[in-house]
Amino acid sequence: MTQAKKQDDIRLNLASHDAVGERIEQLKALLPEVFVEGQLDPERLRQHLGDFSKVGAERFGLNWAGKSEAIRSLQIPSHGTLVPLKDQSVNFDESENMIIEGDNLEVLKLLQKSYHGKIKMIYIDPPYNTGGDFIYPDNFKEGLDTYLRYSGQATEQGFKVSTNSENGGRYHSNWLNMMYPRLFMAKNLLRDDGVICVSIDDHEVNNLVLIMNEIFGEECFITKFIWKSRQIVDSRPKNNVSNDHEYIVVYSRMPDSKVRGKEIDQSKYSNPDNDPRGPWMSNSILGLATKSQRPNLHYKITDPATKLSFDCPPDSGWRYSRDTMDQKIKEGRIVFPKNPDGRPREKKFLAELGKEFTGVSSVLPAEVGYTLNGTREVRDLLGENLFSFPKPVSLLKFLIQQAAKDDDIVLDFFAGSGTTGHATLEINKEDGGKRRFILVQLPEKTDPASEAAQSGYKTIADITRKRISKAIEKIKTEFEFSDSSLLGYKAYRLTSSNFKLWDASAGSKDADGLAKQLELYADNLLPGRSQDDILYEVILKAGQPLTAKIEKIEVAGQKVFSIDGGAMLICLEDPIKEETLVGMLEYQPAIMVALDKAFHGNDQLKTNIKLQAEATGESEQSRALFKTV
C-alpha cells in the first residue's frame, strides 16, 4: 500500500451514507454471478431470479416524466452538515429531541449513518399538490447548492423558487419527483418494526399509494385511515360536494407488521354470578347462514336448569355446530334467559382474551379532532393565527399511540408548525413514555403580508421552534417530568461542510495551477467555523447520534471531547501532540478522530497512531479506529 493510499485510508469519509452502494455490495455478496467486470448485468440478474420473460414486455407499474432523475438524485451523496443553534434551542445539553432547519432530502441523507434502522415511527404531512402550496427549489437536482442559495447561505445568482401550479404540464410528475427520493431515504431510517404514516387528500392519494407500493412493497400496506378533517360543510364547491375528509396512508418497513389497535373496554366486563373464571361479558351466538345454506347450524338448545328450549332464527341459525354448542352448555358458557321469548348468549371471559387491544376502525372517530382544532391550538399557544390548516394534536397523539411507545424515536420531515413534536411531548406527559422526536422543516419564507411575517417570523422553521418552545413552557406548568432530557430540543441548521471539498474541475490544469490549488487545500477547514460546528459534523459523519452525551476531558494538557461515555474521542486542537494521541488510546475508544491539518505534514505520526490503534484490541471487532478530518 502506497503512502498516499495509507493516508486516504485514515481520512474520515465526510459524505453521507451511500445507501445504493450498500445495496450493490449486498447484492454482490449474495449473487456475484450477476456482475460482469464489477458492473451489474440486468439480463443475468433476471435469469438468476428465474425470470425468462421477454425483454421489454409490458408490466404493471408507475412511471412518470423525470422518474430516472428522481432516482438519480437520491444516489448523490450529501456533503453538507448540521451545525448546532444553541441559542435557538431549549435545554440543548440534555435534550434528546431535535429540530433541524433544512431541505429534508439533504437532511435525510445526512441522517442515514447515525439513524439507519433506528426510527420507530415516521409521520409526514407533505404538500398536497393542490396548486400554489407546493414550494420547492426550481432545480431540485442540484441538492445542497440549491438549498444554500434558497436559504440565503450562498449568492442567489438568479435563483428563484417556484410553486407547482396545476396549470403546469408536469403537475403530478413534479410532485412525484419530489416525494420519491424522500420516501426512499425515509424507509432506510425505519426499524424493522417501524411504521410510516403519510397525510394526503384526493389530489395525490392514488399516486401516493402506487409510489409507496413501489418503495415499501404492497405487502407492507397496513391501512388507509379516513380522517374527517372538516367539521362544517363547505358550501363553496362548484360541484356541490364538500370534501370533508383526508387520508393517512400507513405502511410498515417489513411485512406482517401492525399498529397497536383499539384498547379493549374492560368496563363492559363484570361477574354478576361470581363465576370462578372471572369477569365476563355476553356475546351473541347467532350465525349468518340460512337453514338451506347450513342445515347443521339450525337446531333447538335446552337450558339444563329450566328445561326451556330455544330455537334459532330461520335466517341466521346458530354460530356453532351442535357438538360445540353442547360442550359450551356443559362448561356453563351459555347464558340462558329466564323469559322463553329471550335469546341465549355466550360468556366471553376477560382472562381468556390474551390481549389488551382489538381492531381499530379505519374511519377515525371525532375524538381525533378537526383542522379547526389545530388552528385554535396554534393560536392559543402563540397568540396569533400564524399557520394555515395545522393538524390537531389529538390526531397525532392517536397515530403515535398506534405506532410508537416507551423510548421510540418519532420523525417528521415535513414538520410545518411542529404538531408532531407537540403531540410527542403531550403523550409522554400522559403515559410516562420517553419518546423522542426529530423534526425537519425547510426555512420557507413567510408571506410578507401574513400575520406571521408581521409578528417577526421570517420562516416557517421559526414558527416550528417557537411553537415547541411554548409547548414545553406550558407543559412545565402542568406536569413535572422526572427525566429533564424529555423537555427541550437541540436545534440544528443544514449548511455546507466545515471542510473544503476538492473540486477537480476548478482552477488551472497545469502544474502551477494545481500547485496553487494544493496550497489552498493544505488547510482544509473553512474560515469562520467554530469548534462546535466541526465537532457535530464529525459526530454525524462518524455515525454517532447527534444527541449523544458529550463530555470534555483533558489529555496531555489538550482538550478532548468524549462521546457516548468514551466510545468516541475527538481532539480538534491544532497542533496536536503525540502525547495526546497516545493518551487518547489509553481510554480504549472504538474510534478516535483528529484534525488532519493538526499534524502539519507529519504523515509518519498519523500512520504510527493508526497502527497503535489497531493493536489495542484483542480482536478485530474491539480494535480502535483512528481517523482524521
Side-chain angles (χ1 to χ4, degrees), residues 335-361:
V335 182
F336 288 95
K338 295 180 181 179
N339 188 333
D341 295 328
R343 190 84 68 198
R345 292 174 67 85
E346 177 183 12
K347 283 184 176 182
K348 286 290 186 181
F349 293 95
L350 180 62
E352 294 177 348
L353 289 178
K355 58 182 181 178
E356 297 179 60
F357 303 95
T358 186
V360 63
S361 174

Side-chain angles (χ1 to χ4, degrees), residues 71 89 95 112 128 174 193 196 206 319 340 411 508 556:
I71 295 174
S89 304
S95 179
Q112 294 294 310
Y128 285 3
N174 282 338
D193 61 347
I196 181 170
N206 296 325
R319 178 178 296 178
L411 168 65
S508 174

Side-chain angles (χ1 to χ4, degrees), residues 31 46 58 67 180 221 244 262 292 463 493 549:
L31 294 169
R46 287 195 314 103
E58 293 180 347
K67 182 177 182 179
Y180 189 94
F221 173 78
D244 296 343
K262 181 182 178 181
S292 61
I463 298 175
R493 174 179 292 137
K549 185 74 174 176

Side-chain angles (χ1 to χ4, degrees), residues 356-490:
E356 297 179 60
F357 303 95
T358 186
V360 63
S361 174
S362 60
V363 180
L364 300 183
E367 287 76 20
V368 302
Y370 306 94
T371 301
L372 180 63
N373 300 114
T375 302
R376 287 173 178 169
E377 287 164 355
V378 175
R379 184 185 62 206
D380 292 346
L381 203 59
L382 300 180
E384 301 161 288
N385 289 319
L386 301 178
F387 201 86
S388 300
F389 312 116
K391 297 294 185 288
V393 169
S394 49
L395 174 63
L396 267 297
K397 281 168 61 177
F398 167 82
L399 294 174
I400 293 170
Q401 284 175 331
Q402 292 301 314
K405 59 183 181 179
D406 302 329
D407 59 351
D408 291 338
I409 302 176
V410 179
L411 168 65
D412 183 348
F413 53 88
F414 284 98
S417 70
T419 304
T420 301
H422 189 172
T424 304
L425 294 168
E426 286 285 346
I427 203 168
N428 282 342
K429 180 186 75 172
E430 293 173 7
D431 68 8
K434 296 184 178 181
R435 303 169 189 83
R436 294 151 289 162
F437 63 76
I438 301 174
L439 307 182
V440 184
Q441 176 56 41
L442 185 76
E444 178 185 331
K445 296 175 177 61
T446 55
D447 185 339
S450 67
E451 194 169 341
Q454 299 298 321
S455 299
Y457 296 95
K458 296 180 179 179
T459 69
I460 300 299
D462 291 337
I463 298 175
T464 311
R465 289 188 291 264
K466 188 66 172 181
R467 181 194 182 163
I468 299 301
S469 298
K470 286 290 186 180
I472 290 169
E473 289 177 14
K474 185 174 185 292
I475 289 172
K476 280 182 177 179
T477 65
E478 301 171 342
F479 186 83
E480 185 175 343
F481 276 88
S482 58
D483 187 349
S484 61
S485 69
L486 300 174
L487 283 180
Y489 62 86
K490 299 179 189 290

Side-chain angles (χ1 to χ4, degrees), residues 24-306:
I24 291 174
E25 291 304 315
Q26 291 172 349
L27 190 57
K28 279 183 179 178
L30 185 63
L31 294 169
E33 60 271 23
V34 303
F35 288 83
V36 178
E37 296 182 344
Q39 299 298 313
L40 175 66
D41 185 329
E43 181 65 18
R44 288 193 180 193
L45 177 60
R46 287 195 314 103
Q47 292 174 358
H48 281 277
L49 293 178
D51 180 5
F52 296 94
S53 57
K54 182 181 177 182
V55 177
E58 293 180 347
R59 298 176 182 274
F60 178 81
L62 177 64
N63 204 4
W64 66 89
K67 182 177 182 179
S68 60
E69 287 295 331
I71 295 174
R72 190 173 293 117
S73 71
L74 67 86
Q75 299 175 13
I76 301 171
S78 176
H79 291 280
T81 187
L82 301 175
V83 297
L85 305 174
K86 293 189 176 182
D87 60 333
Q88 298 183 46
S89 304
V90 176
N91 192 20
F92 184 93
D93 291 332
E94 292 188 47
S95 179
E96 295 187 18
N97 299 314
M98 292 194 295
I99 300 179
I100 303 170
E101 176 186 303
D103 173 71
N104 50 20
L105 179 56
E106 291 295 312
V107 173
L108 288 171
K109 289 180 179 180
L110 291 174
L111 295 179
Q112 294 294 310
K113 286 183 180 179
S114 299
Y115 294 91
H116 189 280
K118 294 182 180 178
I119 305 297
K120 179 60 171 68
M121 174 191 175
I122 296 174
Y123 169 78
I124 56 171
D125 185 11
Y128 285 3
N129 206 11
T130 54
D133 68 337
F134 176 16
I135 297 177
Y136 62 99
D138 251 9
N139 188 353
F140 68 90
K141 296 185 292 297
E142 290 183 13
L144 182 65
D145 291 340
T146 303
Y147 166 75
L148 293 175
R149 295 200 301 275
Y150 170 75
S151 59
Q153 298 183 60
T155 305
E156 290 201 8
Q157 296 177 333
F159 175 77
K160 61 181 179 179
V161 172
S162 294
T163 58
N164 195 31
S165 170
E166 194 165 352
N167 295 326
R170 296 177 59 187
Y171 167 59
H172 294 293
S173 294
N174 282 338
W175 188 84
L176 289 166
N177 286 332
M178 183 272 294
M179 290 296 294
Y180 189 94
R182 287 161 174 81
L183 289 171
F184 184 95
M185 287 293 174
K187 180 185 177 183
N188 291 336
L189 297 177
L190 281 176
R191 286 173 13 185
D192 283 349
D193 61 347
V195 170
I196 181 170
C197 307
V198 185
S199 281
I200 201 69
D201 71 359
D202 286 314
H203 280 79
E204 294 291 356
V205 64
N206 296 325
N207 287 330
L208 175 66
V209 169
L210 288 173
I211 200 174
M212 293 190 76
N213 281 346
E214 180 170 323
I215 294 172
F216 290 86
E218 288 185 66
E219 66 278 8
C220 292
F221 173 78
I222 294 179
T223 191
K224 188 194 298 177
F225 284 122
I226 299 173
W227 171 51
K228 191 176 188 303
S229 57
R230 184 186 293 276
Q231 190 173 16
I232 302 171
V233 172
D234 186 359
S235 60
R236 298 169 296 176
K238 295 178 181 179
N239 59 6
N240 282 340
V241 176
S242 176
N243 275 346
D244 296 343
H245 69 281
E246 296 179 12
Y247 307 95
I248 300 163
V249 180
V250 184
Y251 279 73
S252 59
R253 174 68 174 83
M254 300 291 287
D256 303 321
S257 294
K258 60 183 180 180
V259 294
R260 187 196 70 170
K262 181 182 178 181
E263 192 169 6
I264 293 173
D265 184 2
Q266 296 190 14
S267 66
K268 295 179 179 179
Y269 292 81
S270 62
N271 196 359
D273 59 350
N274 295 316
D275 194 306
R277 289 167 289 193
W280 55 271
M281 66 173 289
S282 69
N283 199 43
S284 172
I285 54 174
L286 296 181
L288 298 173
T290 64
K291 190 171 185 178
S292 61
Q293 292 171 326
R294 296 289 299 275
N296 65 316
L297 297 179
H298 289 256
Y299 52 87
K300 287 185 178 182
I301 60 175
T302 302
D303 183 350
T306 65

